[in-house]
Amino acid sequence: MQKLVKRAAQAQRQATRRAQQQMERENVDHRMRNRQALRSAVSEVRQNLKDARQARKEDWEMGPLAPKRDLGFNDYGAFKESVRQDWTNYGLYRARPQLIEKRCAWAGGVRQLNLAPQDRVVIMDGPDKGKIDRIKDVQAENGTVTLENHHRALSVGMFDNPARSQSMPISIGSIRLVYPLTNPETGVTKDVIINQLKAVPPNMQSSNMSLDRWQYGNKWDRLVPGLNKVIPWPEIQAPEFQTTKADTVREQVEERTFYYGLLSPPMPDQVLDELRNKYSRFRTRHEPWYVERKEMEEAAKKGRLEAIKSMQTPLEEFHERQRELRDTEGEPELSEEMLQRIGEHMAAKKSTVLNQAGVSEVPS
């Protein structure tokens, strides 16, 4: 059985080492792809600037005879790479947690981000500054969102497909939530820019949180700290699923088809063989009959070794006795005489080295 345990441990170490090597290769490939994409994007920006200078020169020199570049028959103004991609998030290697947390700080942080699709937001910087739009998708792992109508760019496909408008990711730090609030003094309701949101436990007594949100949304309420005002989440439609012949309905899953007691395994042996490969090298638990067979094999092997030892030559018997004597004696110890001779040799060696270097020995 020791051989089986050793084999399983060795297989586990080998699998761990292979997984680490695979992860390192994937990280290297990821860095190479990001570096190539960034290099391509930079070259495209340079080419766009060059084309813009050429177009400006032609417009100035040719006047009315200058070509019409904005008629839609060409890809004027379109990009082939993610030029407007936020490359500071990738850093050529991977997303920086500090940067992502800084982006999402005003909205409650990355773990409890208080933004959801269909939220109305205002763009705080960039070419679309001051425009209000709705969130189309949220990428919390990158600290970005995509909007429905703004912050878009013309994109050309991989195979020179016609240019189409594509939503580009925008940093969460560049947007703020917009929600209509009523002024308690004047009673006027108007859109207000909310600069800070905080996640709080849900209030089951209010209508802001329902059990449906627990299943199809976030499990907390979002609060404006300065006003103690709870901002409701956008309405969510529960998904409707259609059952087909290949699906397993909930009634079949919850139906009890196997009964067992304390003297039987928690599931049939066939299911155990499916969950745990019976021929796997990582297996550590075995059936009693398999353990008994392996112990019999080890006993037979020991018997063969004893039979071989009984037919040893006198020289082999002498070597065996010498090995046993060395094992019983233990580690050798240095005597006082041996330590003195070693010290004398070290002192002589030291004086020789000092004389060769031209340095006189300093008396202690």
Side-chain angles (χ1 to χ4, degrees):
M1 286 305 298
Q2 295 295 332
K3 184 177 180 181
L4 293 178
V5 174
K6 183 179 179 180
R7 184 183 66 180
Q10 182 180 4
Q12 186 68 29
R13 291 193 299 268
Q14 293 175 354
T16 304
R17 183 168 59 252
R18 286 195 298 268
Q20 293 177 353
Q21 294 174 356
Q22 179 66 21
M23 186 179 300
E24 293 177 358
R25 287 193 295 267
E26 291 178 357
N27 292 335
V28 172
D29 294 341
H30 181 68
R31 292 195 296 266
M32 293 297 295
R33 287 195 299 268
N34 285 345
R35 186 178 292 110
Q36 294 174 0
L38 180 58
R39 188 182 298 114
S40 178
V42 171
S43 63
E44 185 180 351
V45 170
R46 292 176 179 173
Q47 184 63 34
N48 291 343
L49 293 175
K50 184 178 179 180
D51 295 342
R53 295 191 190 98
Q54 182 66 23
R56 182 179 58 188
K57 182 179 179 181
E58 292 177 355
D59 293 342
W60 176 262
E61 295 179 351
M62 302 178 65
L65 299 179
K68 302 296 184 181
R69 302 179 182 86
D70 55 351
L71 295 180
F73 300 107
N74 50 26
D75 296 333
Y76 181 72
F79 66 92
K80 296 183 181 180
E81 297 289 343
S82 299
V83 178
R84 295 184 67 179
Q85 183 76 25
D86 189 1
W87 291 101
T88 59
N89 178 43
Y90 293 89
L92 280 180
Y93 297 100
R94 62 181 63 183
R96 290 179 293 175
Q98 298 83 359
L99 178 60
I100 299 175
E101 189 65 32
K102 183 178 179 180
R103 290 177 175 178
C104 305
W106 73 270
V110 180
R111 296 184 178 274
Q112 290 184 321
L113 186 63
N114 295 306
L115 293 176
Q118 298 303 316
D119 272 335
R120 296 175 66 240
V121 295
V122 60
I123 302 175
M124 304 299 293
D125 53 21
D128 298 327
K129 181 178 180 180
K131 296 181 180 180
I132 297 178
D133 200 351
R134 290 188 180 273
I135 296 178
K136 181 180 179 181
D137 190 16
V138 179
Q139 300 89 29
E141 64 277 2
N142 295 330
T144 58
V145 298
T146 53
L147 306 178
E148 292 182 351
N149 301 320
H150 297 94
H151 200 73
R152 306 176 69 90
L154 289 177
S155 174
V156 179
M158 297 177 57
F159 304 101
D160 294 333
N161 296 330
R164 59 185 180 87
S165 179
Q166 178 180 352
S167 299
M168 302 301 298
I170 183 173
S171 172
I172 295 179
S174 300
I175 61 174
R176 291 296 184 271
L177 183 66
V178 175
Y179 189 77
L181 296 179
T182 303
N183 192 337
E185 298 179 358
T186 61
V188 178
T189 301
K190 62 179 180 179
D191 289 337
V192 177
I193 298 177
I194 299 176
N195 293 317
Q196 187 177 2
L197 289 172
K198 179 181 179 181
V200 295
N203 183 9
M204 291 302 178
Q205 302 298 331
S206 64
S207 60
N208 296 324
M209 176 66 66
S210 63
L211 294 178
D212 293 340
R213 286 295 305 183
W214 282 52
Q215 187 172 3
Y216 302 113
N218 297 324
K219 299 179 181 180
W220 62 83
D221 286 337
R222 46 186 183 177
L223 178 73
V224 182
L227 303 177
N228 290 332
K229 173 68 176 179
V230 175
I231 305 299
W233 294 94
E235 295 293 336
I236 289 183
Q237 297 292 336
E240 296 181 0
F241 302 99
Q242 294 182 358
T243 305
T244 61
K245 294 182 178 179
D247 295 332
T248 304
V249 297
R250 185 170 183 175
E251 289 77 8
Q252 296 177 354
V253 174
E254 295 179 350
E255 182 182 1
R256 184 173 182 179
T257 58
F258 179 69
Y259 298 88
Y260 59 91
L262 297 177
L263 301 179
S264 61
M267 58 187 67
D269 296 338
Q270 295 80 2
V271 179
L272 289 176
D273 292 338
E274 292 179 4
L275 298 176
R276 180 189 62 193
N277 185 9
K278 61 189 300 184
Y279 304 107
S280 175
R281 296 181 300 170
F282 306 100
R283 184 171 180 177
T284 56
R285 294 178 296 178
H286 305 277
E287 288 81 359
W289 63 268
Y290 185 77
V291 176
E292 184 179 357
R293 191 182 72 180
K294 287 299 179 181
E295 291 178 352
M296 292 176 61
E297 291 178 358
E298 292 181 1
K301 185 177 180 180
K302 290 181 180 180
R304 289 194 299 269
L305 292 177
E306 293 294 336
I308 293 174
K309 287 182 179 181
S310 62
M311 296 183 293
Q312 288 181 345
T313 61
L315 182 60
E316 292 176 347
E317 293 179 357
F318 173 75
H319 290 164
E320 183 69 22
R321 287 195 299 269
Q322 293 297 323
R323 284 194 293 270
E324 293 178 355
L325 289 175
R326 286 195 297 269
D327 294 339
T328 56
E329 290 177 357
E331 295 293 334
E333 296 181 359
L334 296 176
S335 61
E336 295 292 338
E337 182 181 358
M338 296 174 66
L339 292 174
Q340 183 178 0
R341 294 184 61 183
I342 291 174
E344 294 175 355
H345 178 74
M346 292 175 63
K349 190 71 175 178
K350 180 179 179 181
S351 61
T352 304
V353 173
L354 293 176
N355 293 332
Q356 292 177 356
V359 179
S360 59
E361 184 176 0
V362 180
S364 57

